[in-house]
């Protein structure tokens, strides 16, 4: 029997819902469908472990084919099971952990789908071919599925490669280090350093690969992200944890002397570019050459079950969605080896870790 959490059940729900809707609705930065702006769906590809399953239309019939099998199922059945799947997931709103939906499993198996999550060497969960009436093109777009049914997902996952190092302006004695380590909140740690007359000076991103990737955004962007991390960890106000608010503060300081009188959005543009690049395949521990493996963007499933499209094909909306709906987050200190003062060549240092999470 198939079991999965709310996020995992969202993948088959997205398949059923998109096939029954026959269109992709473009979303704005506030998770609203843009009125009268949608793209008809002509085909969908689901990536199974050992094959691709192709879905297309013949009137009110959905045609399903893989290398071996072929099925014809009325679209009305997809409408029924999409609604049922949504209700079953929503019924688990206050519960955690994995659960089964036998009716949906049986329907999926009727056309040889035997898993919840798509299996793909690429970074997308589902591939959709749309019809663009403006260009007369029929682009095939890859999507990762982000569901608001479950807990908010991460955009930039924490790892040792997302550590940034800072040097202390002067060394602390051992007794002060013990006090520093005993403080639970980073805001308290930073205040303790400030009271001791010590500032943190950015050194570098610990991973040379990540450092190089960040330079593809802007030569100074590694330092900009370092400043973003300092502002995040040093602030007690949770409202200031959003990417948008943090970048507004960085812009006001303009530490790197960009001509913000001519273009006041330079820092915002850098951050948006970074978020888009990361959404489309950049990783901290891999060389980034703009191989857009996600081929595109996200399908966001709202809590009411409606699905909105945010895609590189519609770059401006995609940027705004990422910029307006992400925040910094504090990952596990021990797991990723940051947050403690250490000494190297008679100088003391502190590492901070970058993790960016969706707010919804």
């Amino acid at each position: 029997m198939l079991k999965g959490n709310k996020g995992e059940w969202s993948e088959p729900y997205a398949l059923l819902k998109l096939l029954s809707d026959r269109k992709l609705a473009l979303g704005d930065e506030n998770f609203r469908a843009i009125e009268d702006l949608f793209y008809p769906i002509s085909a969908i590809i689901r990536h199974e472990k050992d094959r691709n399953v192709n879905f297309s239309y013949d009137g009110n019939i959905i045609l399903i084919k893989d290398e071996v099998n072929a099925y014809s199922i009325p679209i009305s059945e997809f409408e029924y099971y999409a609604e049922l799947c949504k209700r079953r997931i929503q019924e688990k709103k206050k519960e955690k952990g994995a659960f089964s939906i036998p009716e949906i499993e049986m329907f999926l198996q009727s056309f040889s789908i035997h898993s919840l999550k798509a299996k793909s060497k690429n970074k997308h969960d589902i591939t959709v071919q749309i019809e663009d009436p403006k260009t007369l093109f029929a682009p095939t777009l890859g999507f990762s599925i982000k569901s608001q049914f479950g807990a908010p997902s991460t955009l930039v996952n924490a790892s040792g490669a997302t550590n940034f190092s800072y040097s202390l302006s002067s060394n602390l004695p051992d007794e002060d280090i013990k006090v520093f380590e005993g403080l639970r909140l980073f805001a308290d740690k930073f205040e303790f350093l400030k009271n001791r007359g010590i500032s943190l000076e950015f050194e570098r991103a610990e991973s040379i690969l990540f450092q190089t990737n960040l330079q593809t955004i802007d030569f100074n962007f590694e330092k900009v992200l370092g400043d973003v991390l300092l502002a995040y960890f040093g602030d007690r106000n949770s409202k200031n944890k959003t990417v948008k608010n943090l970048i507004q503060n960085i812009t006001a300081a303009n530490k790197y002397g960009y001509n913000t009188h001519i273009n006041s959005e330079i820092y915002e543009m850098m951050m948006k570019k970074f978020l888009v690049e990361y959404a489309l395949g950049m990783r901290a521990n891999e060389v980034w050459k703009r191989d857009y493996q996600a081929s595109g963007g996200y399908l966001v499933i709202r809590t009411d079950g409606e699905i909105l499209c945010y895609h590189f094909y519609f770059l401006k909306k995609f940027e705004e969605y990422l910029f307006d709906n992400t925040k910094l987050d504090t990952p596990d200190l021990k797991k990723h080896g940051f947050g403690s003062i250490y000494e190297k060549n008679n100088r003391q240092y502190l590492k901070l870790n970058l993790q960016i999470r969706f707010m919804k």
Side-chain angles (χ1 to χ4, degrees), residues 203-222:
E203 291 287 324
R204 63 186 180 90
E206 284 287 291
S207 165
I208 295 177
L209 288 176
F210 197 28
Q211 185 181 97
T212 305
N213 291 345
L214 296 177
Q215 289 174 355
T216 68
I217 306 297
D218 183 273
F219 187 75
N220 286 321
F221 190 63
E222 173 194 9

Side-chain angles (χ1 to χ4, degrees), residues 90-357:
Q90 290 173 333
E91 287 167 1
K92 303 292 182 179
K93 181 179 180 180
K94 296 183 180 180
E95 299 180 22
K96 295 182 179 180
F99 56 93
S100 60
I101 310 179
E103 308 98 316
I104 302 303
E105 181 177 356
M106 288 180 63
F107 182 60
L108 294 173
Q109 289 178 350
S110 73
F111 46 90
S112 298
I113 300 292
H114 301 288
S115 60
L116 295 183
K117 292 188 66 64
K119 307 293 183 182
S120 175
K121 293 180 181 179
N122 298 317
K123 290 184 169 67
H124 53 260
D125 300 318
I126 195 169
T127 301
V128 182
Q129 185 179 47
I130 64 170
E131 300 169 11
D132 188 342
K134 292 183 179 179
T135 64
L136 302 181
F137 291 156
T140 299
L141 311 176
F143 293 95
S144 293
I145 295 170
K146 302 295 181 184
S147 174
Q148 295 181 357
F149 286 141
S153 56
T154 54
L155 174 59
V156 178
N157 289 311
S159 70
T162 59
N163 275 330
F164 288 66
S165 60
Y166 304 79
S167 60
L168 276 65
S169 57
S170 61
N171 286 359
L172 283 174
D174 290 345
E175 57 269 23
D176 281 352
I177 291 177
K178 289 180 181 179
V179 175
F180 177 90
E181 301 293 346
L183 297 172
R184 188 176 64 86
L185 299 177
F186 272 95
D188 292 337
K189 292 175 184 284
F190 279 33
E191 186 175 346
F192 178 79
L193 292 178
K194 183 179 179 180
N195 291 337
R196 292 295 187 275
I198 293 175
S199 60
L200 292 172
E201 300 168 11
F202 176 76
E203 291 287 324
R204 63 186 180 90
E206 284 287 291
S207 165
I208 295 177
L209 288 176
F210 197 28
Q211 185 181 97
T212 305
N213 291 345
L214 296 177
Q215 289 174 355
T216 68
I217 306 297
D218 183 273
F219 187 75
N220 286 321
F221 190 63
E222 173 194 9
K223 300 174 185 176
V224 171
L225 266 189
D227 292 344
V228 167
L229 275 174
L230 276 179
Y232 164 71
F233 281 105
D235 200 322
R236 298 181 187 277
N237 188 346
S238 60
K239 293 182 179 179
N240 294 335
K241 308 296 187 182
T242 66
V243 167
K244 186 173 185 176
N245 285 343
L246 287 165
I247 286 297
Q248 286 175 347
N249 294 335
I250 297 298
T251 299
N254 192 19
K255 183 176 176 180
Y256 302 100
Y258 291 103
N259 195 331
T260 53
H261 296 292
I262 293 177
N263 186 348
S264 62
E265 297 181 0
I266 288 179
Y267 291 96
E268 179 178 320
M269 290 167 65
M270 276 190 252
M271 179 56 81
K272 284 180 175 178
K273 184 178 179 183
F274 170 68
L275 296 174
V276 169
E277 300 279 281
Y278 221 91
L280 299 183
M282 180 193 283
R283 295 297 177 264
N285 58 355
E286 301 173 12
V287 176
W288 176 236
K289 297 183 178 179
R290 289 206 171 92
D291 176 18
Y292 292 135
Q293 294 183 41
S295 331
Y298 294 137
L299 294 177
V300 176
I301 304 174
R302 298 190 319 201
T303 54
D304 65 358
E306 292 304 305
I307 298 177
L308 300 176
C309 163
Y310 297 90
H311 201 278
F312 187 66
Y313 190 67
F314 320 102
L315 179 59
K316 186 66 175 176
K317 291 298 180 185
F318 190 41
E319 286 182 339
E320 291 171 355
Y321 159 68
L322 294 172
F323 187 68
D324 289 351
N325 292 285
T326 50
K327 64 177 181 178
L328 267 70
D329 193 22
T330 304
D332 187 291
L333 278 69
K334 292 182 180 179
K335 183 177 180 181
H336 303 296
F338 74 100
S340 295
I341 292 173
Y342 64 99
E343 192 166 314
K344 183 179 179 181
N345 297 328
N346 297 319
R347 290 196 68 185
Q348 291 177 348
Y349 298 86
L350 178 70
K351 292 180 185 178
L352 299 176
N353 191 276
L354 176 69
Q355 179 165 276
I356 298 178
R357 184 178 294 278

